[in-house]
Amino acid sequence: MPLIDPVRIKALLGPLAGRFDVDALAEVDSSNSELSRRADAGAPGGSVLVADTQTAGRGRRGRTWLSAPEDSLTFSVLWRFSMPAGRMSGLSLAVGLALARALGRLGAKGVSLKWPNDVLLAANGDYAKLAGILIELSSDRRGSTAIIGIGLNLQPPAVALPQPVAGLAQAMLVTPERHLLLAAILEELFAVFEIFSAGGFAALRMEWQTLHAW
């Protein structure tokens, strides 16, 4: 499968094209780790790294995240907030809300959220994990830097996992092409980041609650 084309993403983002700088790699140890290294080297806020294959992809609590380009969309976003780390509580919930907004906009049905970092899909009277979020924060006198890793299943993983897992294909008649999907997610992330920067998670709490699985 061809790599994500940054030029095509910019065209799809329209007025927001200047707010994101997208790069794509065929393979990396971890998109979060690589983007963190780039942040240390001065990469700007809005940097996005899409990784088709991760040799050391990480989930919450050190779990491994499995990905393949035809079955998933895995990427990390660097964003700088002009607020201290103490005011960053709830960012993972806000990111989950952005994902749910984007998927709903594209026509996905049955998408829900789970504290603190999971996007779920209703299936057979239960819920299965559709996407995961891993956020790593650092701060200094200027504010906070967030490396936001997102792994979204397009197809259910073929391997057995300890929890129910779903793919976006189960929520839609036609799964969106990856460029369209990534552009929609980035647009909703930008909108949520603007609200979060102004009012913290409190400004998004009511909307998040309407999508809470439990």
Side-chain angles (χ1 to χ4, degrees):
M1 175 175 287
L3 290 175
I4 289 288
D5 181 359
V7 174
R8 187 174 175 197
I9 291 293
K10 280 190 174 294
L12 290 169
L13 286 173
L16 292 180
R19 306 307 295 264
F20 294 98
D21 181 13
V22 179
D23 189 17
L25 295 177
E27 184 175 299
V28 71
D29 55 348
S30 157
S31 59
N32 263 29
S33 296
E34 174 60 21
L35 199 52
S36 181
R37 292 189 286 267
R38 295 185 184 191
D40 291 343
S47 296
V48 180
L49 179 63
V50 186
D52 275 358
T53 301
Q54 297 188 83
T55 58
R58 292 174 288 125
R60 186 166 170 261
R61 295 179 179 173
R63 298 186 180 103
T64 299
W65 182 270
L66 303 174
S67 64
E70 63 275 4
D71 294 333
S72 64
L73 177 63
T74 307
F75 64 99
S76 295
V77 179
L78 165 63
W79 206 261
R80 302 189 193 277
F81 295 87
S82 58
M83 59 176 70
R87 291 182 54 202
M88 297 295 290
S89 177
L91 180 59
S92 65
L93 303 178
V95 171
L97 179 58
L99 281 172
R101 282 183 179 183
L103 297 180
R105 194 176 103 196
L106 292 170
K109 305 297 183 184
V111 175
S112 300
L113 300 173
K114 174 189 173 187
W115 183 92
N117 66 338
D118 286 348
V119 179
L120 306 179
L121 183 65
N124 302 318
D126 201 353
Y127 293 96
K129 184 169 181 174
L130 180 63
I133 299 157
L134 176 66
I135 296 180
E136 297 171 298
L137 289 173
S138 60
S139 60
D140 56 27
R141 58 183 177 80
R142 296 170 294 178
S144 299
T145 297
I147 306 292
I148 301 159
I150 295 172
L152 171 63
N153 295 322
L154 305 182
Q155 300 290 339
V159 299
L161 295 171
Q163 67 182 107
V165 181
L168 187 58
Q170 295 169 279
M172 312 178 72
L173 293 176
V174 179
T175 306
E177 192 272 335
R178 291 199 307 164
H179 289 82
L180 297 174
L181 183 56
L182 178 59
I185 293 172
L186 293 179
E187 288 170 357
E188 295 297 345
L189 282 173
F190 179 80
V192 163
F193 290 159
E194 291 285 280
I195 296 171
F196 188 89
S197 293
F201 179 67
L204 298 161
R205 186 189 310 274
M206 291 300 295
E207 185 180 357
W208 191 92
Q209 289 286 1
T210 64
L211 291 166
H212 188 196
W214 289 284

